Amino acid sequence: MRRYVPAPLAPSSWTSRSGALGLTILAHILLVLLLLMLAPPDAFRRAEPDPLKTFNVAPVGAKAAPERRAASRRRAATAPAKPPVVPPLPIAARTIPLIPGLENFDLRNVHSEVAQADAGSSTGRDSKAAYGPGEGPGGARLYNAEWYREPTDAELATYLPERRQPGWGMIACQTVERFHVDNCRALGDDPPGSGLAQAIRKAAWQFLVRPPRIDGKPIIGAWVRIRIEITPAGARAGAP
């Protein structure tokens, strides 16, 4: 059997093959350089390990309490100082000099004397001419009225009849505080039916009468008899 022996290559073939191989190697080198130029430099650096992180595992309250205390101290340091409290000065006692001769003066005695004078009492004197039981309303004792201030014509004119004639009217009233009278009743008039007693009864809210006195003491609530006389010159308080 006949063996095949390849024929030796010609010199021109080696030249062409070596040139192609060089171009291929040069192309790979250029490609690697291009990749190095396009890739960021940090990509080839060695990654450094992250720094060690620490954290506190203490309870929240244990950390917050010092912070609150520190914040309170800061606020106290920056807060304006309160002005000091100055106690009030003691008030010195003042001595008012008395008028000579008034060392034993008592104002209550003055009020008592004025009240007695207003009530018309003097040295324990009783009221004049008392009328026995049965003549006043409900059988009460009836006393003569003693005027504290007599009524004026203007106070009576509003209530008297327009066509009035001379005469008189009589009423009975119960004394109240401040010399006034209340619960007045008509007792009679003259001429009869003239309406003078009713007119005087309506005007009696203006009357000021001293209350009757017994043993020198005014009796509030006692009944008094009031008589008003009508004359051509005007009205006047008459004797009961």
Side-chain angles (χ1 to χ4, degrees):
M1 184 173 182
R2 192 178 175 178
R3 295 178 60 179
Y4 173 75
V5 178
L9 296 175
S12 59
S13 299
W14 284 103
T15 302
S16 60
R17 289 184 178 182
S18 61
L21 179 61
L23 292 175
T24 302
I25 294 172
L26 180 61
H28 281 80
I29 293 173
L30 293 175
L31 181 61
V32 171
L33 293 175
L34 180 62
L35 292 176
L36 291 175
M37 294 176 62
L38 294 178
D42 296 338
F44 297 96
R45 293 179 181 177
R46 183 178 179 181
E48 297 179 358
D50 294 336
L52 181 62
K53 297 181 179 180
T54 62
F55 56 91
N56 189 6
V57 295
V60 177
K63 182 179 180 180
E67 293 179 356
R68 286 197 297 268
R69 288 194 293 268
S72 300
R73 287 194 294 269
R74 288 195 297 271
R75 287 195 298 268
T78 57
K82 295 183 178 179
V85 179
V86 179
L89 297 177
I91 300 176
R94 298 180 57 187
T95 302
I96 301 175
L98 296 177
I99 300 174
L102 296 182
E103 292 82 359
N104 298 325
F105 176 77
D106 191 348
L107 186 60
R108 293 174 297 180
N109 296 334
V110 176
H111 290 304
S112 177
E113 293 175 1
V114 172
Q116 292 179 2
D118 289 340
S121 61
S122 61
T123 64
R125 184 184 57 187
D126 291 349
S127 295
K128 299 178 182 178
Y131 295 85
E135 295 193 13
R141 183 182 297 273
L142 196 60
Y143 296 87
N144 287 331
E146 296 183 24
W147 292 104
Y148 180 82
R149 179 185 63 81
E150 294 187 6
T152 63
D153 291 339
E155 293 174 341
L156 295 171
T158 306
Y159 301 94
L160 293 176
E162 295 182 0
R163 296 181 179 179
R164 58 181 180 269
Q165 52 185 332
W168 54 265
M170 187 180 297
I171 61 174
C173 298
Q174 191 174 18
T175 56
V176 294
E177 297 289 341
R178 299 182 181 275
F179 307 106
H180 287 279
V181 294
D182 197 7
N183 299 329
C184 295
R185 319 285 176 86
L187 296 181
D189 48 21
D190 185 56
S194 60
L196 295 178
Q198 292 296 337
I200 295 172
R201 181 187 63 82
K202 294 177 181 179
W205 63 273
Q206 307 170 89
F207 297 170
L208 297 178
V209 177
R210 300 181 188 276
R213 300 176 307 277
I214 299 178
D215 295 333
K217 297 180 180 180
I219 307 301
I220 303 297
W223 288 84
V224 295
R225 184 165 64 170
I226 300 173
R227 175 173 170 169
I228 302 294
E229 294 184 358
I230 309 299
T231 65
R236 67 181 182 85

